[in-house]
Amino acid sequence: MATIRIAETLHPTRSHSNPPKDGIGGGVYSTRNISRSSLERRSSRGRTRSVDRRSLKSGGDEGIEDEDSGLRQAGDYKKRQVFKGKYLLWLAYQSIGVIYGDIGTSPLYVYSSTFTSDPSYDDLIGVLSIIIWSLTMMVTVKYVLIILHADNEGEGGTFSCYSLLSRFANITKHDPRELSLIKMERYLSGDLRRANRHLRSRIEKSRFARGLLKAIGVLAVSMVMSDGVLTPAQSVLGAVQGLQVVKPDISKGTIVGTTCGILIVLFLIQPLGTTKLASTFAPIVIIWLAFNASFGIYNLVLFDHSVLKAFSPGFAFTFMIRHKTEGWKMLGGILLAFTGVEALFADLGAFSRRAIQLSWLCYTFPCLLLAYIGQAAYISTHPGAYKNPFFHAAPPGTLYPALIVAVLAAIVASQAMITATFQLLAQLMKLSYFPQIKVVHTSKIFHGQIYVPFLNWLLMIGTVLVAAIYNNTASLGNAYGVCVMFVTLFDTCMVSLTALIVWRLNPLLILFPWLTIACLDGVYLSSALTKVPSGAWFTLALATVLACLFTLWRFGKEQQWLAEAADRFPTTHLVGKCEDGRIQLTDRFGGRSLSFIEGFGIFFDKAGETTPTVFSQFLTKLVATPQVMVFFHLRPIETPSVPPENRYNVSRLAIPNCYRLIIRHGYMDEVISPDLGSLVCEQVRDFIIRQGTATKPLVSIPAQVQPNPSTTALQDYDNEDFVIAQSPATSSDTEKKPEVTNEMITASLVKLQQAYDHQVLYIIGKEQMRIKTGTGIWRSLLLRAFLWLRDNTRTKIANLKVEVDRVIEVGFVKEI
């Protein structure tokens, strides 16, 4: 007969089958009392792989541990996709259609935004020199060659830098239920230079520093999103206004109405996905850039090739020295030459670093340089041409084709910011700064290409309202640029920290480049801030509102985690075995004996680490348990589909007839289906059989086993449970197998089938929260706002694709 053996000392139990490839063991470990120092654990590469794994005891009493070998696997972590050959070229082609629409259409208005009257030759050369070196330093060197390397497993943007730092330094809290999904890689102190180690330590210990990094990450996302509302309205409105070149008497109402219609169509086609949209838009942007390059060569050869001397940075310095304050103010127009660069980094997740570098260095950058140089050559010999240099400088017979391409390019220019907002919101949700809403992956090949329906419709409403209210590009242009420069400054600071903490570079190698780029950012930002009274206040105000919303949600989630901490423990803390063999609650929960409910109970828990809260509440409130229980967990993997042989992982828990099923699924796999109970039962059955055959050859099991009433009573477990070895996790001990007899397997299979045949119950928790009595008024207001958002964004049980008459909702209340 099989018994439950209680070990004298508790140790983490490792799986006896399917050993993890990365050295991460199973077992249940504390998720509440993880010290910062406990994260310093060296991996094979000198990085931290996991948190402290200390076994838990139940109120000082020793008991069996849960067998949780399937909680962590190397494939659970997001991995950067690397593309070569035709896929790399395809991505580079796509990136031109999405990323460079904004920065690529800047030649339409940079000179007209910089000059207010005909410039002198020296001023023209000076401004051209600033444009050339700004594109070189701010875009090519800073972003394309440096910042794109600061990705978080392929994801880009300022917030991804913050997420990357949070994996290499203890600067933020994580959802305790999803700790196994976070790949911590914090270096040991001895692996860092003294200055780098001191910097990391100061940041980790300083509440102000951690809060500042959090604020920078959230503000950067908010500012990109506020530009995401402004950019489509600006670009499409500018495109429609371009029709005035051929029809000067077009009315403002026609312009605004046409703009709103185009914007609506633009957002309606977003569900098609990044690949289809990028492949459609890419020819437009490619032809547009080709027009700019060819026009530039034409004007350079025909009019004034002497403007090429602007490649000397001395002319830029001379211009600034000569004009002083006025030259500083003119930088607000020059910076429009690289607006959209923040989307280049944020869109990294949808494409790849090599694809973006290839498309920028080999095509977009040369085309833009030729465009600005050619326009300068034309302006130098044609007074008044600065007002609309692109169309004035068009060669004879190309005006109408250029106008058509310009309008189309301006329309698709907004795609860069739309795609960026999708990427950034998905990053926010991963770190619990925004409620979990639907995210649609639109490609089986490129895993980072996503579409967020809720955000898409909000952006559509916002951009239509902005276009209708502002109704001209002049007023919209005043609101443009400030957020861009804030984000570029934030990127400079975050990537510098990444270089010190993640890349472990010598601080002396970082100091001079950081000072140089930060000074450029600061000069441009200070110039852009002069636009605040005349329109830039709108984007800053919108960004502030969004940042407050994200911070509020994160604050509420942290309070929720604290309230739920009391329910996070292994099953050995919840139940024990009394002397007469009956299963009862531990003394901590009243010590009452459990009765049983006939049936097969599936307890839903999204991504749990230990015992599901709904199960704890079910047992402690009803003092009863289903005949056979399964803790049902989902592990979303960043891949289209998970092969069936890798999809399911079953482990046995300390409570008799209690199992944990972890389903790893890709974003195109359907997991919750009407026959979910049958699938779960089948996986548990296969696990029981495999566990038996792992120790000895299994003798054939009778096809029909008559159920024995004694095997269904909770107090009689002599014929039904396996021994879970409790010994130190050494290489020799992990090979020891408890002896499993055919009778044990048969009894477990009979009980499983009997429970399933009787009824299948889907048990789901519904957690309600209320504010503790005596909470301060401001804190109470914040928590009330969070609870209102939480109640209106929760997944509805009716949306589950299971038989509704088998669903049980267990409600419980937590105080925050």
Side-chain angles (χ1 to χ4, degrees):
M1 293 185 298
T3 59
I4 300 177
R5 185 175 300 158
I6 301 178
E8 294 181 358
T9 57
L10 288 176
H11 303 279
T13 302
R14 300 198 178 215
S15 172
H16 297 301
S17 60
N18 300 325
K21 298 179 181 179
D22 61 349
I24 298 175
V28 177
Y29 309 100
S30 172
T31 58
R32 288 178 286 170
N33 302 313
I34 301 176
S35 64
R36 294 187 183 277
S37 61
S38 69
L39 291 173
E40 290 199 1
R41 192 158 300 205
R42 181 190 289 268
S43 71
S44 59
R45 295 184 297 169
R47 298 178 179 176
T48 299
R49 284 294 185 184
S50 58
V51 298
D52 185 23
R53 286 167 161 69
R54 291 171 290 179
S55 59
L56 297 175
K57 298 180 181 181
S58 178
D61 297 329
E62 298 169 344
I64 346 177
E65 292 185 355
D66 295 334
E67 183 184 310
D68 282 331
S69 59
L71 280 176
R72 299 165 180 83
Q73 291 185 3
D76 291 351
Y77 306 124
K78 178 180 174 62
K79 296 180 181 179
R80 181 191 300 110
Q81 282 189 287
V82 179
F83 298 98
K84 298 179 181 180
K86 65 177 183 180
Y87 286 114
L88 177 61
L89 294 176
W90 188 15
L91 270 182
Y93 168 77
Q94 290 184 31
S95 67
I96 295 176
V98 171
I99 295 177
Y100 305 121
D102 190 3
I103 196 172
T105 53
S106 296
L108 284 171
Y109 44 75
V110 169
Y111 284 116
S112 61
S113 300
T114 303
F115 298 115
T116 56
S117 60
D118 283 318
S120 66
Y121 181 78
D122 289 340
D123 289 347
L124 181 64
I125 297 299
V127 168
L128 176 60
S129 182
I130 296 176
I131 292 173
I132 290 172
W133 284 101
S134 294
L135 286 174
T136 301
M137 294 298 297
M138 299 294 288
V139 184
T140 306
V141 175
K142 175 182 172 180
Y143 273 91
V144 175
L145 299 181
I146 298 177
I147 287 184
L148 287 184
H149 288 271
D151 65 293
N152 183 27
E153 297 298 345
E155 293 182 344
T158 316
F159 199 78
S160 76
C161 272
Y162 176 70
S163 301
L164 179 64
L165 286 171
S166 71
R167 290 172 41 217
F168 284 82
N170 301 316
I171 60 175
T172 189
K173 299 176 182 178
H174 296 283
D175 187 345
R177 296 171 300 179
E178 299 182 358
L179 284 176
S180 62
L181 302 179
I182 300 170
K183 184 181 180 182
M184 292 297 295
E185 297 186 276
R186 187 180 187 274
Y187 289 110
L188 292 173
S189 296
D191 295 333
L192 294 173
R193 291 181 173 86
R194 181 178 179 181
N196 301 47
R197 181 171 65 250
H198 182 68
L199 173 66
R200 186 183 69 178
S201 177
R202 291 291 297 271
I203 292 175
E204 291 178 339
K205 294 178 181 178
S206 172
R207 184 175 181 180
F208 172 78
R210 298 196 307 271
L212 180 62
L213 289 177
K214 179 190 295 186
I216 288 175
V218 172
L219 278 173
V221 173
S222 304
M223 289 179 175
V224 173
M225 288 188 172
S226 64
D227 266 356
V229 174
L230 187 69
T231 301
Q234 165 82 347
S235 61
V236 176
L237 188 59
V240 177
Q241 284 183 338
L243 296 176
Q244 292 177 327
V245 174
V246 294
K247 189 175 176 57
D249 60 341
I250 188 172
S251 67
K252 178 178 290 187
T254 302
I255 291 174
V256 173
T258 304
T259 298
C260 293
I262 294 174
L263 285 171
I264 292 173
V265 172
L266 183 63
F267 284 100
L268 287 176
I269 63 176
Q270 291 303 312
L272 295 176
T274 305
T275 294
K276 292 181 180 178
L277 292 176
S279 299
T280 303
F281 293 163
I284 297 173
V285 180
I286 289 173
I287 294 173
W288 162 253
L289 291 173
F291 266 59
N292 277 273
S294 58
F295 288 7
I297 296 172
Y298 173 83
N299 290 306
L300 187 62
V301 172
L302 192 63
F303 297 109
D304 188 1
H305 64 274
S306 66
V307 296
L308 289 173
K309 63 184 179 181
F311 276 97
S312 170
F315 291 98
F317 288 108
T318 303
F319 173 82
M320 294 301 298
I321 293 171
R322 184 169 62 250
H323 286 279
K324 297 182 176 63
T325 303
E326 191 61 30
W328 167 72
K329 291 181 180 180
M330 293 171 72
L331 291 177
I334 297 174
L335 69 84
L336 296 178
F338 56 88
T339 52
V341 69
E342 75 282 14
L344 182 146
F345 186 31
D347 286 335
L348 178 61
F351 303 100
S352 72
R353 179 175 66 243
R354 294 181 63 189
I356 294 174
Q357 290 174 334
L358 185 65
S359 60
W360 172 260
L361 295 173
C362 297
Y363 188 72
T364 308
F365 185 40
C367 288
L368 288 178
L369 288 180
L370 288 170
Y372 289 115
I373 294 170
Q375 289 182 13
Y378 185 86
I379 293 171
S380 67
T381 59
H382 295 78
Y386 75 92
K387 295 179 181 179
N388 202 342
F390 176 78
F391 293 108
H392 283 304
T398 62
L399 176 61
Y400 287 103
L403 175 62
I404 294 172
V405 175
V407 171
L408 292 175
I411 290 173
V412 305
S414 56
Q415 188 61 44
M417 298 306 300
I418 296 173
T419 303
T421 55
F422 293 161
Q423 296 289 327
L424 294 175
L425 190 67
Q427 295 175 19
L428 286 175
M429 288 190 286
K430 289 180 181 178
L431 279 189
S432 302
Y433 280 87
F434 196 78
Q436 296 293 322
I437 59 177
K438 183 179 181 181
V439 176
V440 180
H441 289 260
T442 58
S443 174
K444 292 183 179 180
I445 301 174
F446 310 117
H447 302 168
Q449 296 185 354
I450 60 175
Y451 160 68
V452 185
F454 176 76
L455 180 59
N456 184 63
W457 308 131
L458 280 185
L459 283 176
M460 183 184 73
I461 294 171
T463 54
V464 169
L465 288 176
V466 167
I469 294 172
Y470 278 83
N471 67 53
N472 67 84
T473 54
S475 55
L476 280 172
N478 291 330
Y480 209 55
V482 177
C483 287
V484 175
M485 293 317 305
F486 266 115
V487 173
T488 58
L489 178 61
F490 292 157
D491 286 342
T492 300
C493 298
M494 294 293 268
V495 174
S496 298
L497 283 177
T498 300
L500 294 170
I501 296 176
V502 180
W503 301 341
R504 299 183 291 179
L505 297 180
N506 191 318
L508 296 178
L509 296 177
I510 304 301
L511 181 60
F512 179 72
W514 176 78
L515 283 176
T516 303
I517 299 298
C519 286
L520 285 174
D521 291 333
V523 171
Y524 274 113
L525 176 60
S526 61
S527 177
L529 287 174
T530 60
K531 297 182 178 181
V532 171
S534 58
W537 63 267
F538 171 77
T539 51
L540 292 177
L542 180 58
T544 302
V545 171
L546 291 174
C548 290
L549 174 64
F550 300 148
T551 306
L552 170 65
W553 184 261
R554 172 69 185 198
F555 168 75
K557 292 300 291 184
E558 291 182 0
Q559 303 309 306
Q560 178 182 338
W561 298 339
L562 289 174
E564 295 172 344
D567 285 333
R568 290 195 291 270
F569 44 73
T571 57
T572 51
H573 277 207
L574 185 61
V575 298
K577 190 175 182 180
C578 55
E579 295 180 356
D580 61 359
R582 294 179 62 87
I583 300 300
Q584 64 179 21
L585 294 174
T586 58
D587 293 339
R588 177 183 176 184
F589 296 99
R592 292 175 291 177
S593 297
L594 296 175
S595 58
F596 74 93
I597 302 171
E598 292 185 353
F600 184 65
I602 300 174
F603 291 85
F604 282 80
D605 189 33
K606 177 185 174 185
E609 285 277 317
T610 53
T611 306
T613 303
V614 60
F615 178 74
S616 305
Q617 296 291 331
F618 189 92
L619 251 64
T620 55
K621 299 299 190 298
L622 301 180
V623 197
T625 177
Q627 188 176 357
V628 177
M629 299 158 287
V630 176
F631 297 166
F632 183 84
H633 306 290
L634 295 177
R635 286 283 192 277
I637 308 298
E638 293 281 344
T639 186
S641 183
V642 176
E645 60 271 17
N646 300 328
R647 187 173 300 173
Y648 308 103
N649 190 289
V650 184
S651 57
R652 181 182 291 275
L653 303 181
I655 300 178
N657 296 307
C658 186
Y659 307 87
R660 187 190 305 277
L661 171 62
I662 299 174
I663 298 184
R664 290 172 168 82
H665 63 94
Y667 50 78
M668 291 189 175
D669 290 330
E670 183 179 359
V671 179
I672 308 298
S673 58
D675 62 343
L676 180 64
S678 174
L679 182 147
V680 173
C681 181
E682 179 183 354
Q683 294 303 319
V684 173
R685 178 184 180 277
D686 291 344
F687 166 77
I688 294 172
I689 296 175
R690 285 196 308 270
Q691 202 174 47
T693 56
T695 57
K696 60 184 295 185
L698 181 64
V699 181
S700 59
I701 299 175
Q704 300 293 332
V705 181
Q706 295 298 325
N708 186 342
S710 64
T711 63
T712 64
L714 277 176
Q715 64 269 24
D716 185 4
Y717 291 99
D718 291 341
N719 295 323
E720 51 123 48
D721 232 315
F722 304 158
V723 176
I724 301 178
Q726 299 298 317
S727 58
T730 63
S731 58
S732 60
D733 289 332
T734 54
E735 295 176 359
K736 296 179 180 180
K737 305 286 185 178
E739 184 175 352
V740 181
T741 65
N742 293 333
E743 290 77 9
M744 299 176 190
I745 299 172
T746 302
S748 294
L749 293 175
V750 166
K751 182 160 290 188
L752 174 66
Q753 189 63 44
Q754 184 183 24
Y756 176 77
D757 290 341
H758 189 272
Q759 64 176 339
V760 176
L761 301 175
Y762 301 105
I763 305 168
I764 303 169
K766 183 176 182 180
E767 183 182 57
Q768 298 291 336
M769 292 192 163
R770 66 184 181 190
I771 302 172
K772 291 181 180 178
T773 305
T775 303
I777 182 169
W778 290 112
R779 184 183 180 88
S780 178
L781 288 174
L782 291 175
L783 290 175
R784 288 182 187 279
F786 164 72
L787 293 179
W788 182 84
L789 288 173
R790 182 175 180 270
D791 290 340
N792 286 277
T793 56
R794 298 180 67 178
T795 302
K796 307 301 181 184
I797 289 182
N799 295 337
L800 285 177
K801 299 177 182 179
V802 296
E803 299 174 75
V804 293
D805 57 338
R806 297 181 181 274
V807 175
I808 297 176
E809 185 181 66
V810 179
F812 49 94
V813 180
K814 292 287 183 181
E815 287 189 332
I816 58 175

